[in-house]
Amino acid sequence: MTSTDLTDRTPTTPRTSRRLSLDTCREVSQRPGVTGPAVDPTAVTVGIVHLGIGAFHRAHQAVFTEDAAAATGETGWGILGVTQRSATVVEQLVPQDGLYGVRTVGTDSSSLRVIGSVRGVAFPREETQRVLDAIAAPTTHVVTLTVTEKGYTAGPDGRLDLADGDVRADLDALVGEIRGAAALARQTGTEVQGAATAHVVVEDAVPARSAIGLLVRGLAARARAGGEPLTVLTCDNLLDNGHVLEGLVGQALDAAAGVPGADPEQVERLRAWVHASVTFPCTMVDRIVPATTEDDRAAAEAATGVRDEGLVVAEPFMQWVIEDRFAGPRPAWELAGATLTDDVAPFERAKLRMLNGTHSLLAYLGSIAGHRLIADAVADPALLSAARSLLLDDVIPTLVAPEGLDLAAYAESLLERFANPALGHTTTQVAMDGSKKLPIRFLATAADRLAAGAVPDAVAHGVAGWVVFVAAGRTVTGEPLRLDDPIADKLRAAAAEVAAPDEVAPAHAEALVRRMLAVEQVFPAEIRDHAGFRDAVVAHAERLLAGYAQH
């Protein structure tokens, strides 16, 4: 399967089923309660390459980008969306000419709009060369990313995991591309001083296997193609995310210089170009985007009269804070409601610790209690109290409020947003990838509170919820819980050293907590070795495990 450039599609292409598409878009846009694309998709060309085109990007950055384009009349900010894990999004969007709906659901109302800013979709395992060419194109000015925390393939120390087979394969491919392009440049007489591989295209690229590897190879391709400046904008929930990504790119280049057959001088030229021509602004993003269900698709089909396999669902609230540090042109995102600032950090820390931290607490405690939805967990008085305690007692004392933001009011607004039952946001969806999320969502808060001489009891409650979620593997009423985590096998094995899942009891709490806190990929020494914090986690774990005995 190979996708096509969606800008080359015409509205007259025959179809075998009625799907949302350029053919049906006009009809859909005339339906009551449905809003069509804010820009004409057929007039839009690609100016952004996005790595990780999942539901969040489609409900967030793609919407901001379309609204910005509509505000200015600019047509050069279409998006080439790149899938990371599978070809599913390609299969959803290519038959629909890149069009999809965003179903916005509030507590008592909903709306549907069609987005047309995605002008191409590619799966790197089959179309790496297409992605590299797009990053290299002079008409591309921004690369954005939403590849999730684990998509950055960082090790426990936060550095690029060079033991990861996908990363190693991409670095090998990078070195081969640099070497091949340099040789071709010499043969064709296009070698120039300081950029021996300029204006040389490498054909038939080895399939990319990692997000960082694909990005670095794309940067190398851009340097070869003339070296126009580029902004790389990560939109994932990583603290200081732009600086983290810039560091990972630098570490990839360090490692590439040591790959057998590498030319260190050529790698150093690439590094110098990245330093001079590429910026990595920090960002903060916020919109709750639950997994789309078949009921959601049926509701959208009833409203539009066509099938939309690419539909995404989101809450009404959306926020994007961006460090104003761009290497070249960009969409006028501020006209779509984004905040451009010199310092993202206060916004970022408030969001990660308050929204994401509370989300995780509700996910683990809610899952254990048998609550399927985050809204159900918030409706549980005990869990609502735990969430409010986390926000007010533990998190807010660690924050400096961004200008104009009342943190206590923000805390209450978060609980109201979480209580929206129309979102259908499941606890298990939020609970995934805990080994990557806990350090950012819980443990940074814990470290600050411990340094201030206070034991963060609500954070300990959340960590206990994660420990029991991993160890018991089931709700208090016996329904299985799925552990979706990049180190799931290691976590299960660690818990099983204390007791089998169906045998975990309150008496195991202390040994279980000690064993789980010893997982160095998750817990730093200052957390793991703090007796007061450990005792608080044990106390909460005992109470949670006692709940199993009562059912």
Side-chain angles (χ1 to χ4, degrees):
M1 178 195 67
T2 301
S3 67
T4 58
D5 185 344
L6 301 176
T7 59
D8 291 339
R9 297 269 301 133
T10 64
T12 57
T13 301
R15 301 191 173 271
T16 58
S17 61
R18 279 182 57 81
R19 293 270 293 273
L20 178 63
S21 66
L22 290 174
D23 294 343
T24 59
C25 186
R26 181 182 296 276
E27 170 193 336
V28 167
S29 301
Q30 294 172 348
R31 302 272 294 210
V34 180
T35 303
V39 295
D40 177 2
T42 63
V44 175
T45 57
V46 170
I48 299 172
V49 175
H50 180 79
L51 308 185
I53 184 169
F56 183 80
H57 170 74
R58 303 203 303 274
H60 189 274
Q61 297 102 54
V63 176
F64 273 101
T65 299
E66 178 159 303
D67 288 346
T72 61
E74 296 175 327
T75 60
W77 294 116
I79 299 166
L80 171 64
V82 182
T83 68
Q84 292 298 126
R85 300 177 184 176
S86 74
T88 299
V89 180
V90 173
E91 295 162 355
Q92 291 173 339
L93 293 188
V94 167
Q96 298 183 181
D97 304 316
L99 303 180
Y100 63 91
V102 177
R103 186 169 183 253
T104 301
V105 290
T107 54
D108 54 9
S109 64
S110 65
S111 62
L112 183 67
R113 64 177 290 188
V114 177
I115 300 297
S117 56
V118 175
R119 293 294 82 225
V121 193
F123 181 37
R125 296 295 175 97
E126 299 175 0
E127 298 179 282
T128 290
Q129 189 61 57
R130 179 184 176 200
V131 177
L132 298 182
D133 290 345
I135 294 175
T139 50
T140 296
H141 301 291
V142 181
V143 172
T144 54
L145 298 88
T146 50
V147 296
T148 76
E149 293 93 335
K150 67 183 177 184
Y152 290 83
T153 50
D157 60 357
R159 295 181 61 81
L160 187 65
D161 183 3
L162 297 175
D164 184 275
D166 291 341
V167 171
R168 293 199 310 271
D170 279 326
L171 293 180
D172 288 343
L174 170 67
V175 168
E177 287 159 0
I178 292 174
R179 187 172 57 239
L184 184 59
R186 290 191 295 270
Q187 293 172 7
T188 58
T190 56
E191 183 173 3
V192 295
Q193 185 65 33
T197 57
H199 298 93
V200 176
V201 176
V202 178
E203 300 292 345
D204 302 324
V206 174
R209 294 169 52 178
S210 71
I212 296 298
L214 178 60
L215 174 60
V216 175
R217 292 170 65 186
L219 294 177
R222 191 173 184 89
R224 288 195 297 270
E228 292 292 322
L230 184 71
T231 300
V232 179
L233 201 64
T234 169
C235 301
D236 281 297
N237 289 320
L238 302 171
L239 192 62
D240 298 323
N241 54 11
H243 301 143
V244 168
L245 179 56
E246 185 172 11
L248 293 172
V249 168
Q251 292 152 29
L253 294 175
D254 288 343
V259 170
D263 181 338
E265 182 180 352
Q266 293 284 2
V267 175
E268 185 55 38
R269 288 178 178 176
L270 174 58
R271 182 198 305 281
W273 174 80
V274 170
H275 179 75
S277 302
V278 183
T279 60
F280 298 83
C282 292
T283 68
M284 185 277 280
V285 297
D286 187 3
R287 193 176 201 186
I288 296 174
V289 182
T292 305
T293 66
E294 189 55 37
D295 286 345
D296 293 321
R297 294 189 181 92
E301 187 167 357
T304 63
V306 297
R307 184 71 173 174
D308 180 4
E309 295 293 347
L311 180 77
V312 294
V313 179
E315 66 169 336
F317 181 89
M318 57 191 295
Q319 184 182 23
W320 196 4
V321 182
I322 310 169
E323 181 184 7
D324 194 0
R325 186 164 61 93
F326 289 82
R330 63 168 177 83
W333 283 313
E334 70 276 18
L335 299 182
T339 298
L340 276 292
T341 179
D342 292 334
D343 187 9
V344 172
F347 297 92
E348 180 182 56
R349 282 166 174 75
K351 188 260 182 174
L352 291 175
R353 296 187 182 191
M354 294 182 73
L355 185 149
N356 296 111
T358 307
H359 230 183
S360 287
L361 178 140
L362 291 168
Y364 295 119
L365 298 181
S367 293
I368 292 167
H371 297 308
R372 190 179 72 86
L373 301 179
I374 291 292
D376 298 333
V378 176
D380 183 326
L383 299 192
L384 177 61
S385 177
R388 187 171 278 117
S389 178
L390 176 69
L391 288 163
L392 301 182
D393 299 335
D394 286 353
V395 177
I396 287 180
T398 71
L399 299 175
V400 175
E403 184 176 355
L405 180 63
D406 181 326
L407 292 176
Y410 178 54
E412 290 303 318
S413 74
L414 293 177
L415 297 176
E416 292 177 7
R417 289 167 61 193
F418 293 158
N420 180 357
L423 285 173
H425 209 178
T426 65
T427 51
T428 53
Q429 180 189 1
V430 180
M432 67 187 297
D433 299 338
S435 67
K436 293 292 187 183
K437 292 176 177 176
L438 259 64
I440 299 167
R441 300 183 176 198
F442 284 163
L443 304 185
T445 295
D448 285 350
R449 293 298 284 149
L450 292 174
V455 173
D457 187 72
V459 174
H461 196 179
V463 171
W466 174 78
V467 169
V468 173
F469 180 94
V470 171
R474 67 189 192 282
T475 70
V476 292
T477 54
E479 290 82 10
L481 293 172
R482 178 170 175 256
L483 178 60
D484 187 345
D485 194 285
I487 59 169
D489 292 343
K490 180 170 185 174
L491 296 176
R492 290 193 195 95
E497 292 176 8
V498 177
D502 58 355
E503 297 174 354
V504 174
H508 297 118
E510 182 171 2
L512 186 60
V513 168
R514 285 181 178 273
R515 185 64 192 87
M516 298 305 290
L517 292 185
V519 178
E520 295 182 355
Q521 284 124 306
V522 182
F523 296 95
E526 65 268 25
I527 302 292
R528 179 173 63 248
D529 298 336
H530 194 284
F533 183 74
R534 184 175 62 244
D535 290 346
V537 177
V538 170
H540 283 293
E542 286 178 343
R543 286 191 287 272
L544 291 172
L545 290 170
Y548 288 82
Q550 296 170 6
H551 286 80

